[in-house]
């Protein structure tokens, strides 16, 4: 339960289309992902000239940064922003500027305070990984109203579906209203296709040719394209799975908080938590205990300032029960040792 994947396997229809595509894997996939772009356009009512697909949204995050950021330019992100933003900045030799969060939530004012004449781009995962928290649409609007329009705001909606499809729609509207906003989405989380690597970006039409130029020609493989098209026909199933995951997220929160674990209120399919009064060593011991006793892998937070936190992906009821029970046994063992 370490990578915030979906616990649900792709549907039989998707498995069948992957098999069909595998039979013609001697041919390249379509570099423009035409069928997938059309399907995304129809599903979300976004013009095709504002869409580009990528090898996971991770590729597109880097493609956008590579398009707008040069060595020594500044990239702003929040204090506990997604670690890949930091990795991208380092690959580009850009300077990283981190805005303080309040209560593990990113703040519009704090991001704006970080802006200098060298700022080229802001990365905002909303909700964010690893915190699971988010800014409201109104707060994002507040950020955009004050943001100079030569600075690009990338809003990463990898977990947007867990907040709601309506929420995603509101965020996408910002791309129509502002010429400097890019929204990225993924098929890896709510759509259960993490292993195929496919994501997409909604950007102002003027940016799209530049993003294609910065992206590799055939980075979205044919199997991924075909599967993603079918997954968009299964929105009823996706919504139901999202509902189950959100309800399990609440159930895990309640159960672990009862045991004295502090869970940061999550809007996603994962939880960031810490055992009250724990040290880095005891948090590591918990991660080891859960693995040794249940074979369940959970993640130690890597961000500076979150050393006593661990992150858990919400899974099936059975796996979640095993996790809760392992944490309970670990805490009992700690009490006995005291
Ligand atoms: C906030 C965030 N953005 C993007 C990604 C990357 O997703 P993808 O599988 O689409 O590359 C992740 C994956 O964990 C994530 O947590």
């Amino acid at each position: 339960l370490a990578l915030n994947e979906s616990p649900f396997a792709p549907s039989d229809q998707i498995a069948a289309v992957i098999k069909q595509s595998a039979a013609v894997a001697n041919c390249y996939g379509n570099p423009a992902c035409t069928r997938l772009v059309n399907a995304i356009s129809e599903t979300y009512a976004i013009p095709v000239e504002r869409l580009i697909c990528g090898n996971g949204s991770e590729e597109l995050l880097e493609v956008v940064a590579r398009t707008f950021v040069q060595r020594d330019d500044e990239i702003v992100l929040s204090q506990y922003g997604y670690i890949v933003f930091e990795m991208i900045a380092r690959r580009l030799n850009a300077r990283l500027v981190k805005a303080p969060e309040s209560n593990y939530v990113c703040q519009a004012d704090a991001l704006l305070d970080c802006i200098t004449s060298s700022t080229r781009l802001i990365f905002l995962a909303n909700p964010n990984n690893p915190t699971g928290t988010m800014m409201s649409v109104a707060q994002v609007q507040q950020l955009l109203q004050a943001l100079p329009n030569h600075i690009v705001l990338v809003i990463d909606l990898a977990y947007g579906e867990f907040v709601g499809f309506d929420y995603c729609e509101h965020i996408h509207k910002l791309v129509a209203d502002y010429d400097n906003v890019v929204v990225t989405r993924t098929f890896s989380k709510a759509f259960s296709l993490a292993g195929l690597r496919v994501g997409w970006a909604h950007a102002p039409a003027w940016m799209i040719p530049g993003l294609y130029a910065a992206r590799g020609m055939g980075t979205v493989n044919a199997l991924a394209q075909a599967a993603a098209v079918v997954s968009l026909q299964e929105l009823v199933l996706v919504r139901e799975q999202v509902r189950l995951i959100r309800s399990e997220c609440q159930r895990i929160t309640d159960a672990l908080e009862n045991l004295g674990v502090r869970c940061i209120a999550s809007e996603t399919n994962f939880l960031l938590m810490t055992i009250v009064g724990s040290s880095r060593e005891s948090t590591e011991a918990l991660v080891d205990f859960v693995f040794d006793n249940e074979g369940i892998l959970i993640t130690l937070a890597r961000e500076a300032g979150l050393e006593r936190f661990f992150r858990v992906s919400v899974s099936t009821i059975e796996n979640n029960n095993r996790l809760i029970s392992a944490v309970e046994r670990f805490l009992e063992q700690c009490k006995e040792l005291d």
Side-chain angles (χ1 to χ4, degrees):
L1 315 184
L3 294 175
N4 305 339
E5 294 143 330
S6 169
F8 304 110
S11 69
D12 291 347
Q13 285 84 333
I14 290 180
V17 89
I18 292 172
K19 210 168 163 191
Q20 279 166 19
S21 305
V24 286
N26 51 313
C27 298
Y28 284 116
N30 175 342
C33 304
T34 308
R35 281 187 58 219
L36 179 54
V37 163
N38 286 337
I40 294 168
S41 166
E42 273 166 37
T43 306
Y44 297 109
I46 297 171
V48 290
E49 57 277 10
R50 295 186 180 190
L51 293 168
I52 180 169
C53 296
N55 187 257
S57 56
E58 187 180 350
E59 179 188 33
L60 295 168
L61 295 170
E62 177 148 356
V63 161
V64 176
R66 234 186 295 129
T67 306
F68 293 102
V69 179
Q70 296 187 348
R71 173 184 284 270
D72 293 332
D73 287 343
E74 287 174 2
I75 294 182
V76 173
L77 57 139
S78 69
Q79 186 176 3
Y80 303 122
Y82 180 39
I83 202 145
V84 165
F85 300 156
E86 189 161 337
M87 291 160 68
I88 291 171
R90 291 192 190 283
R91 280 180 213 139
L92 296 177
N93 290 305
R95 280 185 273 154
L96 261 178
V97 184
K98 290 193 183 181
E101 298 191 3
S102 170
N103 240 336
Y104 306 101
V105 185
C106 181
Q107 307 293 312
D109 287 350
L111 290 171
L112 289 167
D113 285 347
C114 290
I115 286 173
T116 71
S117 57
S118 301
T119 311
R120 296 288 170 268
L121 185 138
I122 301 181
F123 272 131
L124 172 68
N126 211 40
N128 181 49
N129 174 13
T131 51
T133 60
M134 62 183 282
M135 299 202 314
S136 66
V137 177
Q139 286 165 329
V140 179
Q141 262 163 341
Q142 184 199 330
L143 168 65
L144 273 167
Q145 272 154 17
L147 189 70
N149 66 5
H150 68 275
I151 299 175
V152 175
L153 174 66
V154 178
I155 309 176
D156 172 348
L157 284 191
Y159 302 98
E161 292 86 358
F162 298 101
V163 183
F165 283 78
D166 290 356
Y167 160 72
C168 296
E169 205 179 315
H170 285 300
I171 293 290
H172 281 289
K173 280 200 186 116
L174 300 173
V175 184
D177 295 344
Y178 296 87
D179 233 15
N180 55 338
V181 178
V182 179
V183 175
T184 56
R185 299 280 296 270
T186 183
F187 286 94
S188 300
K189 310 295 179 183
F191 285 82
S192 301
L193 297 178
L196 288 179
R197 312 304 302 122
V198 52
W200 54 281
H202 174 198
W206 70 268
M207 280 188 201
I208 295 290
L211 299 182
Y212 267 109
R215 197 204 69 178
M217 266 289 273
T219 59
V220 191
N221 72 75
L223 278 64
Q225 293 187 36
V229 168
V230 177
S231 76
L232 288 170
Q233 293 155 13
E234 297 182 347
L235 287 187
V236 173
L237 177 70
V238 172
R239 282 177 204 266
E240 178 54 18
Q241 292 175 344
V242 163
R243 198 191 59 73
L244 276 170
I245 286 172
R246 291 297 299 149
S247 112
E248 279 298 284
C249 186
Q250 190 56 52
R251 189 175 71 86
I252 300 172
T253 304
D254 294 344
L256 293 183
E257 291 217 314
N258 266 338
L259 297 172
V261 178
R262 177 178 175 211
C263 301
I264 307 292
S266 169
E267 308 285 345
T268 64
N269 66 338
F270 62 86
L271 279 157
L272 182 70
M273 38 197 156
T274 183
I275 294 171
V276 179
S278 65
S279 59
R280 174 73 174 181
E281 290 69 33
S282 60
T283 310
E284 278 173 8
L286 167 72
V287 171
D288 288 346
F289 182 93
V290 173
F291 185 69
D292 293 344
N293 287 271
E294 289 293 341
I296 292 180
L297 194 62
I298 59 178
T299 312
L300 268 176
R302 287 168 289 183
E303 291 72 11
L306 296 180
E307 290 80 4
R308 292 176 300 104
F309 282 80
F310 58 99
R311 200 195 61 199
V312 175
S313 314
V314 177
S315 185
T316 56
I317 295 175
E318 189 204 341
N319 285 341
N320 300 335
N321 285 342
R322 285 170 57 203
L323 170 83
I324 294 166
S325 143
V327 174
E328 187 168 14
R329 278 178 280 142
F330 176 80
L331 292 171
E332 272 162 17
Q333 197 187 64
C334 292
K335 263 190 225 146
E336 280 163 20
L337 289 176
D338 275 356

